[in-house]
Amino acid sequence: QRRPGAAQQLGQQAGALVRAGIAEQLTDHAAEGGRLVGTQRMRDALQGLLKAEGFATRAFASAEEFLESGHPRECACLITDIQMPGMSGLDIQARLNAEQIKLPIIFITAHGDSQMRMQALRAGAVEFLTKPFDDEVLVDSVRAALKS
């Protein structure tokens, strides 16, 4: 039986962009931690969940702030909502692909459909989760993404 957690409880709220990595596995990636963007409450919930599971994370208020930070090339894994103010998750994926920044991306969304899912996966996403999502599924997805 799966346990509901903070991220699942907040899963219906506005989304977040997260970059996370397990410290031991980040040594091969010049990364110091994770990246997280979205509503403050969702960022806090996801960051708490990922830190409790041994991931290092870093939060940003928007996709644009993340891109302008200079951290995308250091990123080990990115978690993004499809719908965010400004750039969408699919927009940030396209931008990273255009800049040849290859990193595993996990999408989370309350508004996705099969066409969006296929678009994201064809462009290289490793997972596409629908809100509300189970904490364990997200954590397992991040672990799998870091191994890819």
Side-chain angles (χ1 to χ4, degrees):
Q1 181 177 2
R2 296 185 178 175
R3 59 175 164 61
Q8 183 177 4
Q9 293 167 5
L10 292 172
Q12 295 291 357
Q13 297 184 14
L17 173 71
V18 180
R19 191 213 117 186
I22 299 173
E24 296 89 272
Q25 293 178 330
L26 291 179
T27 55
D28 294 334
H29 305 277
E32 63 184 35
R35 307 290 179 259
L36 203 71
V37 180
T39 64
Q40 185 66 48
R41 193 166 170 201
M42 179 61 112
R43 287 193 311 265
D44 290 347
L46 289 174
Q47 195 167 27
L49 168 67
L50 294 170
K51 282 185 176 187
E53 294 291 332
F55 295 92
T57 64
R58 184 162 176 192
F60 294 91
S62 69
E64 292 84 357
E65 182 182 326
F66 170 69
L67 290 171
E68 293 168 5
S69 73
H71 292 288
R73 292 198 183 275
E74 299 171 4
C75 191
C77 177
L78 183 68
I79 302 169
T80 182
D81 198 321
I82 292 289
Q83 292 186 346
M84 297 183 289
M87 291 182 80
S88 74
L90 294 172
D91 292 339
I92 194 170
Q93 181 185 40
R95 171 96 171 262
L96 293 170
N97 285 342
E99 294 179 15
Q100 297 183 4
I101 299 172
K102 302 296 180 201
L103 63 122
I105 298 176
I106 299 169
F107 283 95
I108 57 173
T109 186
H111 305 286
D113 58 29
S114 60
Q115 184 177 359
M116 279 185 200
R117 177 182 173 81
M118 290 308 300
Q119 181 181 349
L121 294 173
R122 284 184 182 139
V126 296
E127 187 61 78
F128 194 96
L129 303 175
T130 303
K131 295 178 190 177
F133 53 86
D134 187 276
D135 290 351
E136 290 178 31
V137 173
L138 176 63
V139 170
D140 289 346
S141 296
V142 171
R143 285 191 180 115
L146 292 173
K147 291 179 183 176
S148 63

